[in-house]
Amino acid sequence: MRRRIFTEEHEQFREQFRRFAQKEIEPKVAAWNARGTSDKETWQRAGAAGFLGAAAPAEYGGAGGDFLYDAVIMEEMAWIRAHAMMISLHSDIVMPYLVTYGNEEQKRKYLPGTISGDILLGIAMTEPGTGSDLANVQTRAIRSGDHYVLNGSKTFISNGQIGDLFIVVAKTDPGANPPHKGVSLILVEADSPGFVRGRKLDKLGLRGQDTSELAFEDCVVPAANLLGQEGQGFKMLMEKLQQERLTIAVASVASCRRALEDTISYVQQRHAFGQPIASFQNTQFKLAELATEVEIGQAFVDTLMVAHVAGEEVVKEVSMAKWWITELQKRLTSECLQLHGGYGFMMEYPIATDYADAAVQSIYAGTNEIMKVIIARRMGLG
Ligand SMILES: Cc1cc2nc3c(=O)[nH]c(=O)nc-3n(C[C@H](O)[C@H](O)[C@H](O)COP(=O)(O)OP(=O)(O)OC[C@H]3O[C@@H](n4cnc5c(N)ncnc54)[C@H](O)[C@@H]3O)c2cc1C
């Protein structure tokens, strides 16, 4: 079905990005997956070609486009399974904090470098003891003269090894009541004294993506690195989660399309009992059902993207899309693996990695259970 949300400019941008990705990204994906991280040079090439911060303001070097340009990149990256290079984390999840809440000095200092790919971004919310319950973070950032001193540890942080600048969620007022009023966001450069990169974690899926532990050991950062106001961190996080969750939904439905397409090709080539397995009614019905659900998911995501670009508050609906589509992705990759038979279990077939990569989608950016908590609350159910 023809999608109607993209203009001709968006489609031209898609062509440009696709050409770039075919040359600069796709050939490296296997090596990144083997190594467990992408490389800085490719980020810089993407920056130089104008593909980082497509929606960031032009005055800081961005392209000044809308979220749909970034969505184009997410879809293309999902199609080539380039999960190792999380452009969406950099451009759509972390950079918007700088754009929205950074003061002029912070924007001038950091945005041009993030857009050129010289400064890679990460966000450090999760801790060993708390993930979903963000107000309960234990990392502290205590003001001391014109500095903050940070102590604490974070885990599961994307870009943990290669990131240059992290937005760290920390308590500036550990005694605040309610606790979320003590949460602030601090910009921490990776070469700050006391900033320690921990283990790069060994994961079931997203093997090429660098997910790491971080520690702050009397880590000293200038007080000027406070993002927004003290005690406003939780509010800023909540405001930005709409885009973060929409990003997951956009990439998730694109990954579903790729797994489905590859499975359709496979079942047409593979024979059993003297006929292509595509000719069995079970195969046809399964794929017909999944294709239907992908179209439903795409229509919902497209509607949400239009609303988001128009500035509408669609937190409830985005939470619905995040849980529903990521559950679809898990089910779809499982069904498609089954249709590959034993080959589906072999790592040389992409459906095996699709299946493993899908598992995390219902966990990060807020678990699917938390999505339902948000939806229920907004339905007036407590
Ligand atoms: C590959 C990967 C990359 C990540 N990248 C980042 C990153 O860059 N930055 C970052 O800060 N974090 C990152 N995370 C962390 C991720 O956001 C958290 O894992 C997630 O928020 C869940 O937190 P948790 O792991 O502590 O699980 P918990 O909060 O301990 O949850 C465990 C289970 O309890 C359920 N649960 C919790 N509370 C409720 C409730 N109120 N009602 C019902 N059920 C509930 C959860 O849904 C889940 O099923 C990443 C994680 C992974 C796996």
Side-chain angles (χ1 to χ4, degrees):
M1 196 165 73
R2 194 168 76 79
R3 296 168 67 197
R4 290 178 167 74
I5 61 167
F6 297 111
T7 62
E8 216 170 284
E9 286 74 31
H10 291 120
E11 292 304 348
Q12 280 166 5
F13 182 78
R14 187 186 294 279
E15 280 309 312
Q16 286 164 9
F17 182 73
R18 191 173 288 170
R19 275 199 301 277
F20 173 84
Q22 277 166 355
K23 184 163 171 271
E24 297 286 351
I25 298 176
E26 200 170 6
K28 299 174 188 160
V29 168
W32 288 343
N33 288 347
R35 209 174 66 195
T37 181
S38 60
D39 64 73
K40 196 80 187 273
E41 300 71 45
T42 307
W43 283 90
Q44 285 162 331
R45 284 199 195 129
F51 297 126
L52 302 181
E59 55 186 307
Y60 304 103
D66 57 29
F67 177 77
L68 295 179
Y69 287 92
D70 285 325
V72 162
I73 293 180
M74 288 170 223
E75 291 180 355
E76 295 299 313
M77 292 294 273
W79 186 261
I80 59 171
R81 301 181 166 97
H83 310 302
M85 187 181 178
M86 293 188 86
I87 294 183
S88 59
L89 172 81
H90 178 84
S91 295
D92 309 307
I93 296 178
V94 192
M95 203 185 295
Y97 284 93
L98 277 170
V99 172
T100 309
Y101 307 114
N103 57 33
E104 198 48 35
E105 194 190 331
Q106 291 165 339
K107 286 187 200 179
R108 297 234 167 266
K109 185 169 179 194
Y110 294 122
L111 276 177
T114 63
I115 292 162
S116 67
D118 292 310
I119 301 177
L120 290 194
L121 297 171
I123 185 159
M125 302 183 257
T126 308
E127 301 186 350
T130 192
S132 304
D133 183 10
L134 257 187
N136 192 32
V137 291
Q138 299 298 309
T139 298
R140 293 175 177 214
I142 304 301
R143 180 88 187 238
S144 165
D146 56 0
H147 288 87
Y148 283 103
V149 181
L150 278 79
N151 278 289
S153 44
K154 300 285 179 181
T155 193
F156 307 150
I157 308 306
S158 305
N159 283 352
Q161 299 298 322
I162 59 168
D164 302 294
L165 179 68
F166 293 86
I167 295 180
V168 177
V169 179
K171 287 265 173 74
T172 44
D173 180 3
N177 191 11
H180 74 262
K181 293 217 160 139
V183 175
S184 301
L185 304 185
I186 314 272
L187 294 162
V188 180
E189 296 179 23
D191 58 5
S192 306
F195 175 92
V196 182
R197 298 189 205 266
R199 283 184 307 151
K200 180 153 73 63
L201 301 162
D202 192 13
K203 307 193 296 295
L204 168 70
L206 300 186
R207 300 283 301 172
Q209 190 219 330
D210 145 29
T211 310
S212 296
E213 297 172 333
L214 298 179
F216 307 95
E217 297 172 359
D218 287 329
C219 174
V220 178
V221 299
N225 283 22
L226 174 71
L227 198 60
Q229 308 293 317
E230 271 198 17
Q232 294 292 302
F234 199 78
K235 188 165 165 277
M236 291 187 268
L237 288 166
M238 294 304 115
E239 282 170 6
K240 287 295 173 206
L241 286 175
Q242 170 165 313
Q243 179 152 315
E244 177 172 348
R245 284 155 191 174
L246 182 54
T247 296
I248 303 292
V250 170
S252 179
V253 75
S255 291
C256 286
R257 282 190 179 284
R258 181 68 204 250
L260 193 60
E261 283 276 322
D262 286 359
T263 306
I264 291 167
S265 302
Y266 182 82
V267 298
Q268 286 167 336
Q269 286 155 20
R270 177 78 180 168
H271 284 68
F273 299 96
Q275 50 189 314
I277 54 172
S279 67
F280 299 128
Q281 194 183 52
N282 174 64
T283 308
Q284 294 171 0
F285 280 15
K286 281 271 185 261
L287 292 174
E289 285 165 13
L290 292 170
T292 306
E293 289 181 277
V294 170
E295 290 301 335
I296 291 169
Q298 188 73 73
F300 190 24
V301 168
D302 284 358
T303 303
L304 290 174
M305 283 202 270
V306 172
H308 183 66
V309 169
E312 286 175 41
E313 200 261 70
V314 282
V315 170
K316 183 176 81 178
E317 293 77 7
V318 163
S319 307
M320 291 171 171
K322 197 269 176 186
W323 85 254
W324 191 83
I325 293 166
T326 57
E327 292 297 339
L328 170 63
Q329 188 185 348
K330 292 205 295 189
R331 195 158 37 79
L332 180 143
T333 51
S334 169
E335 301 274 20
C336 289
L337 188 153
Q338 181 70 16
L339 288 171
H340 279 71
Y343 294 99
F345 199 63
M346 299 300 134
M347 294 310 283
E348 64 205 83
Y349 281 77
I351 193 65
T353 47
D354 288 346
Y355 175 77
D357 292 343
V360 76
Q361 297 279 58
S362 56
I363 294 169
Y364 61 11
T367 67
N368 283 5
E369 291 72 32
I370 293 298
M371 294 307 103
K372 292 171 196 174
V373 169
I374 293 168
I375 297 162
R377 237 183 246 145
R378 284 171 186 254
M379 289 165 67
L381 302 170

